[in-house]
Amino acid sequence: MTSFISAWIWSERFWLPENVTWADLEHPPPGVEYPRLWNMLYAFPLAAVVYFLRLLFERLVAKPCAHILQIQAGVPRQAQPNAILERLYQSKASPDERQLEGLSKQLDWDVRKIQRWFRVRRNQDRPSTQKKFCESMWRFTFYLAIFIYGINHLWSTSWMWDTRECWQNYPFQPLSPEQHSYYLVELAFYWSLMFSQFIDIKRKDFVIMLVHHLATILLITFSYGNNMIRAGSMVMCVHDASDIFLEAAKMANYAKYQKLCDGLFVFFSISFFICRLVIFPFWIIHSVLVESWEIAGPYRAWWLLNGLLLVLQCLHIIWFYLIMGIAIKAIFRGKVAKDDRSDVESSSEEEICSSTDPSRNQTLKGNSRTSNLNGEAHDH
């Protein structure tokens, strides 16, 4: 049974083009190295290292920068201790009307008082602006560094300018140390995002980001395993480019540099459109779909990889729709409005005050100038 499952998972007819076997790739010419899928296992311990580096970076670099920019952590209002409400909160942060009525009878509290307790308790768990700034600064630093590394490598290659060379003599294409390092670090980063997504700031687009991270991890792993590294490197580089401006815009927003935030958001919107709705579909996907068919021919894994690329492109369209919604609001309001992908619990101090002091709520609304651009990734 074990040998049958192993043979099914590593089926040559699935992974490799016709008339190519694993044995052909096991013995490359002298001085040449082909990708070996088991090398991707190093991404798991490396993902732990990446996460540890993130914690160090946020503590030693990002947090001091936040203090310089006067971004305070803030101390949220503490909810009144109550074992019954806390037990329900751990399983359901927003109880329905029936549960509220039951709690009202059980505790002899007014329903509005219980609703207020849950609002305060949710906001108690919300990350501060300083924490969100630190997360964005980490992602900005990583995307900038890995983009510089990737574009520096790709710029000198012939297949970046003539994508048909991605498929010449495929899959017998040598693996360079730069390609191996690029793939391994990107995969480790997305594995760290996958795991940390469950403990980081929660988003309305949690499911979309989960699908994005899964599709990205599968694409990186599969493209490495069957040596589609040339095209895969361009996919990763294109995605990193626009993320740099997104994280920079969020940092500017958290620091309350509104004009800088608006300008960076414009750059992000333009770069997103060019990279993910022009270059990605018409340059890279076209090469993987059309040129690889003409030169190397399709096979089973080829269909899977193209399917994943199309999933990513669908996500790009959804995100661009959200981006355009923000841009349209910005045109009418004169600033970047709240992102539809922002935190799940959108109400903060204003919502608490609205239940306790209506006059103060009016003051807060009058003084409020900006809202969160985005609490997030991904994503990558």
Side-chain angles (χ1 to χ4, degrees):
M1 177 63 72
T2 303
S3 60
F4 172 79
I5 294 175
S6 178
W8 179 76
I9 293 176
W10 300 107
S11 170
E12 294 172 340
R13 297 283 60 80
F14 174 82
W15 285 97
L16 302 173
E18 191 175 354
N19 299 324
V20 179
T21 66
W22 292 118
D24 297 331
L25 299 173
E26 285 292 329
H27 304 287
V32 174
E33 188 70 30
Y34 294 146
R36 301 177 187 273
L37 191 58
W38 61 268
N39 285 334
M40 291 289 95
L41 294 176
Y42 292 118
F44 290 105
L46 187 57
V49 173
V50 169
Y51 185 72
F52 180 70
L53 287 175
R54 168 192 164 178
L55 296 179
L56 285 179
F57 179 89
E58 290 183 359
R59 178 182 291 260
L60 302 178
V61 179
K63 188 172 287 187
C65 290
H67 285 305
I68 293 173
L69 295 171
Q70 298 182 341
I71 303 174
Q72 302 299 323
V75 180
R77 178 182 173 184
Q78 300 295 309
Q80 176 184 346
N82 188 293
I84 296 175
L85 296 180
E86 182 67 29
R87 186 163 52 250
L88 177 60
Y89 174 81
Q90 295 303 324
S91 59
K92 190 173 184 180
S94 299
D96 55 36
E97 187 175 341
R98 182 182 59 82
Q99 290 173 315
L100 289 173
E101 292 176 354
L103 290 170
S104 177
K105 295 177 181 178
Q106 184 178 358
L107 298 173
D108 195 24
W109 283 16
D110 183 76
V111 171
R112 289 183 59 82
K113 183 178 180 180
I114 297 174
Q115 290 175 325
R116 188 180 308 121
W117 188 95
F118 276 95
R119 280 196 297 269
V120 174
R121 185 65 182 85
R122 286 194 297 269
N123 282 286
Q124 187 177 321
D125 284 346
R126 288 185 69 220
S128 65
T129 302
Q130 184 184 97
K131 178 173 176 57
K132 291 187 285 187
F133 174 87
C134 292
E135 289 184 9
S136 289
M137 189 172 182
W138 159 251
R139 285 192 293 268
F140 167 80
T141 304
F142 177 85
Y143 288 136
L144 180 61
I146 200 67
F147 174 76
I148 292 173
Y149 182 88
I151 198 67
N152 181 65
H153 164 65
L154 288 171
W155 199 266
S156 59
T157 62
S158 57
W159 60 82
M160 179 177 177
W161 312 105
D162 181 7
T163 54
R164 293 183 66 85
E165 292 198 20
C166 290
W167 316 108
Q168 299 294 343
N169 199 33
Y170 175 81
F172 303 104
Q173 297 172 340
L175 173 69
S176 69
E178 294 81 8
Q179 289 173 322
H180 175 72
S181 300
Y182 190 30
Y183 256 73
L184 197 60
V185 172
E186 285 274 15
L187 184 60
F189 176 73
Y190 279 102
W191 271 120
S192 71
L193 286 183
M194 172 67 76
F195 296 135
S196 64
Q197 185 179 6
F198 295 92
I199 57 177
D200 279 345
I201 305 164
K202 301 302 180 184
R203 310 282 168 227
K204 290 182 179 179
D205 67 339
F206 177 86
V207 175
I208 295 178
M209 289 305 299
L210 185 64
V211 173
H212 174 268
H213 294 335
L214 282 173
T216 303
I217 288 171
L218 288 174
L219 271 171
I220 293 174
T221 304
F222 286 171
S223 63
Y224 185 91
N226 62 2
N227 205 9
M228 284 189 178
I229 289 180
R230 295 182 176 182
S233 298
M234 292 192 292
V235 171
M236 294 188 296
C237 192
V238 161
H239 281 72
D240 292 335
S242 57
D243 286 335
I244 296 171
F245 294 105
L246 173 62
E247 300 303 334
K250 288 190 290 182
M251 287 192 297
N253 182 68
Y254 299 144
K256 298 183 179 179
Y257 291 109
Q258 191 63 45
K259 291 184 178 180
L260 178 60
C261 170
D262 294 345
L264 288 169
F265 187 79
V266 170
F267 278 110
F268 163 68
S269 303
I270 295 172
S271 65
F272 189 99
F273 178 80
I274 294 174
C275 291
R276 304 199 187 189
L277 296 183
V278 178
I279 296 177
F280 184 63
F282 296 108
W283 185 263
I284 300 176
I285 293 184
H286 174 267
S287 177
V288 181
L289 271 174
V290 179
E291 294 175 347
S292 66
W293 182 298
E294 296 173 352
I295 298 173
Y299 53 99
R300 293 177 183 177
W302 179 93
W303 291 100
L304 175 61
L305 289 167
N306 277 283
L308 291 172
L309 288 175
L310 293 174
V311 167
L312 279 182
Q313 185 57 36
C314 290
L315 293 175
H316 295 161
I317 295 172
I318 295 173
W319 282 325
F320 191 69
Y321 170 78
L322 297 176
I323 292 169
M324 291 307 298
I326 300 170
I328 292 172
K329 291 177 184 178
I331 292 173
F332 291 102
R333 298 182 183 181
K335 61 183 179 181
V336 174
K338 181 179 178 181
D339 189 349
D340 290 328
R341 300 173 59 210
S342 188
D343 302 343
V344 172
E345 180 63 24
S346 59
S347 57
S348 55
E349 187 179 0
E350 291 183 18
E351 182 175 328
I352 297 172
C353 294
S354 68
S355 301
T356 57
D357 190 346
S359 62
R360 186 184 174 195
N361 184 40
Q362 293 299 321
T363 304
L364 282 171
K365 286 183 178 180
N367 294 335
S368 177
R369 184 178 185 276
T370 185
S371 53
N372 291 342
L373 168 69
N374 194 318
E376 181 215 6
H378 29 287
D379 333 335
H380 226 121

